[in-house]
Amino acid sequence: MHLELRHLRTIRAIHEAGGLARAADLLNMTQSALSHQVKGLEEQVGMELFVRRSKPLKLSSAGMKLLRLAERVLPEVAATEEEFRALLSGKSGRLHIAMECHACFDWLLPVLKDFRKTWPEIDVDIRAGLSFGALPALRREEVDLVISSDPEDIPGITFLPLFDYAPAFIAARTHPLAKKAYIEAEDLRDQQLFTYPMDRSRLDVFKELLTPARVEPRAVRQVELTAVILMLVASGRGVAVLPDWVVREEGDADELITRPLTKDGVTRRMYAAVREEDASKPFMAHFTRLARTEPVKLQRR
């Protein structure tokens, strides 16, 4: 037996209308075409689907089985069709985000708060546990956007530039290095350095300063929370290098000082990595616009 959705719609329409003529009007077809369809379906089933001598027309026991199937299947089909219409119009979709940038929570959460006001139907999530394999997860469609400062040449993936930032050295105002105009790699050789719990290859202080100079700090202590890093630095227990938006958002000007890395300073760029086919989606374009403006607000404070 070969059942099609039109067969289920026919059974439901005849049951609701109580006759072929009214059902044909509901289905926008002629009565003869509907009769021909019913006859073909009964030939497939091998039994009558209607008690034809009854008025209104009633379903047989076999017809009732098909009606119950129609009542289960057709609403699911209609819901799926509505979802596809929403996707095509850009009103619905999924935005699951992974980050290779631990400090990005400081600006990402305000961005998502504004984003949700415009796109309430978008399924938004932050996949924090994928930070070490974010880009492969993007290719596998486990996530839809990756925040990264390290663009790569990956087929099918595009890196949309968001904003530039400066990694800033942070120390207590009473720290000896506070007297310097800028910080060099050698300055950190005898320091305890507080960092986020990330691989060194993803940390600006190592990638841009220490690793090229082959300098190792006296100690490296990983700390999860930005506020705790700043508290430890302010108490003179060590130093840190954090993005400038973090310093301006949470730093205490009375207790902390900031200095650029190297005489010329270091500038990095943040990107949103997305699959090429998703880059032009309206909600994705809106998210990237917000992600370009919110961090700049923090940097200007």
Side-chain angles (χ1 to χ4, degrees):
M1 183 171 62
H2 177 69
L3 280 178
E4 300 177 21
L5 291 177
R6 64 189 179 97
H7 295 145
L8 298 181
R9 293 188 175 105
T10 293
I11 293 293
R12 184 178 65 179
I14 295 175
H15 172 71
E16 293 175 350
L20 292 179
R22 291 181 61 192
D25 290 338
L26 291 175
L27 296 169
N28 196 28
M29 60 192 303
T30 65
Q31 184 174 342
S32 61
L34 180 58
S35 297
H36 181 72
Q37 186 184 123
V38 170
K39 182 180 179 181
L41 182 56
E42 287 181 326
E43 289 176 354
Q44 284 196 64
V45 174
M47 61 187 74
E48 289 188 348
L49 299 176
F50 300 94
V51 181
R52 285 175 168 77
R53 292 174 298 278
S54 65
K55 288 188 178 182
L57 195 61
K58 295 182 179 179
L59 292 169
S60 67
S61 59
M64 289 300 297
K65 288 183 181 293
L66 287 181
L67 177 63
R68 287 193 291 271
L69 176 63
E71 290 174 340
R72 291 197 307 271
V73 171
L74 293 179
E76 293 189 15
V77 171
T80 301
E81 290 173 341
E82 181 60 32
E83 288 179 6
F84 277 114
R85 282 192 290 269
L87 285 170
L88 288 172
S89 66
K91 295 179 180 178
S92 180
R94 190 188 77 168
L95 182 58
H96 288 189
I97 301 170
M99 292 183 290
E100 295 181 342
C101 162
H102 195 88
C104 286
F105 279 104
D106 293 270
W107 60 262
L108 179 59
L109 294 180
V111 165
L112 290 178
K113 183 178 179 180
D114 286 345
F115 177 81
R116 292 289 292 170
K117 295 176 183 177
T118 306
W119 304 95
E121 299 301 318
I122 301 297
D123 176 21
V124 176
D125 193 12
I126 299 176
R127 305 290 297 277
L130 291 174
S131 59
F132 292 107
L135 291 174
L138 180 62
R139 295 192 65 185
R140 295 192 301 267
E141 299 190 10
E142 295 175 12
V143 297
D144 309 293
L145 184 145
V146 174
I147 305 297
S148 174
S149 59
D150 298 297
E152 301 179 23
D153 186 9
I154 303 175
I157 303 298
T158 183
F159 284 78
L160 306 174
L162 296 180
F163 59 92
D164 292 342
Y165 69 95
F169 171 81
I170 308 171
R173 188 164 293 280
T174 56
H175 195 283
L177 291 177
K179 299 176 182 179
K180 297 201 62 174
Y182 57 88
I183 300 300
E184 299 175 299
E186 282 296 330
D187 295 325
L188 301 183
R189 189 182 292 277
D190 61 348
Q191 299 297 317
Q192 173 162 267
L193 180 66
F194 295 112
T195 74
Y196 291 117
M198 299 175 63
D199 187 87
R200 289 187 175 193
S201 63
R202 300 291 185 187
L203 291 168
D204 293 331
V205 64
F206 281 97
K207 186 170 184 176
E208 300 295 330
L209 188 69
L210 297 176
T211 300
R214 298 183 180 181
V215 170
E216 181 68 21
R218 173 176 59 82
V220 176
R221 179 177 167 184
Q222 294 185 335
V223 180
E224 184 77 26
L225 299 177
T226 300
V228 176
I229 291 178
L230 296 177
M231 180 182 66
L232 291 169
V233 171
S235 64
R237 295 175 179 268
V239 299
V241 173
L242 299 176
D244 53 5
W245 76 78
V246 173
V247 179
R248 287 171 171 79
E249 173 69 2
E250 301 193 37
D252 189 333
D254 294 331
E255 295 186 307
L256 299 172
I257 61 91
T258 63
R259 297 290 183 268
L261 300 184
T262 75
K263 182 178 181 180
D264 297 326
V266 173
T267 301
R268 300 277 283 144
R269 177 163 292 180
M270 197 63 66
Y271 296 85
V274 300
R275 290 180 291 276
E276 289 179 350
E277 65 268 22
D278 292 341
S280 61
K281 290 181 177 179
F283 71 85
M284 192 71 77
H286 188 203
F287 173 85
T288 54
R289 284 198 299 272
L290 291 174
R292 291 185 179 112
T293 58
E294 184 63 29
V296 174
K297 294 178 184 177
L298 298 179
Q299 290 170 329
R300 289 174 177 170
R301 291 181 183 175

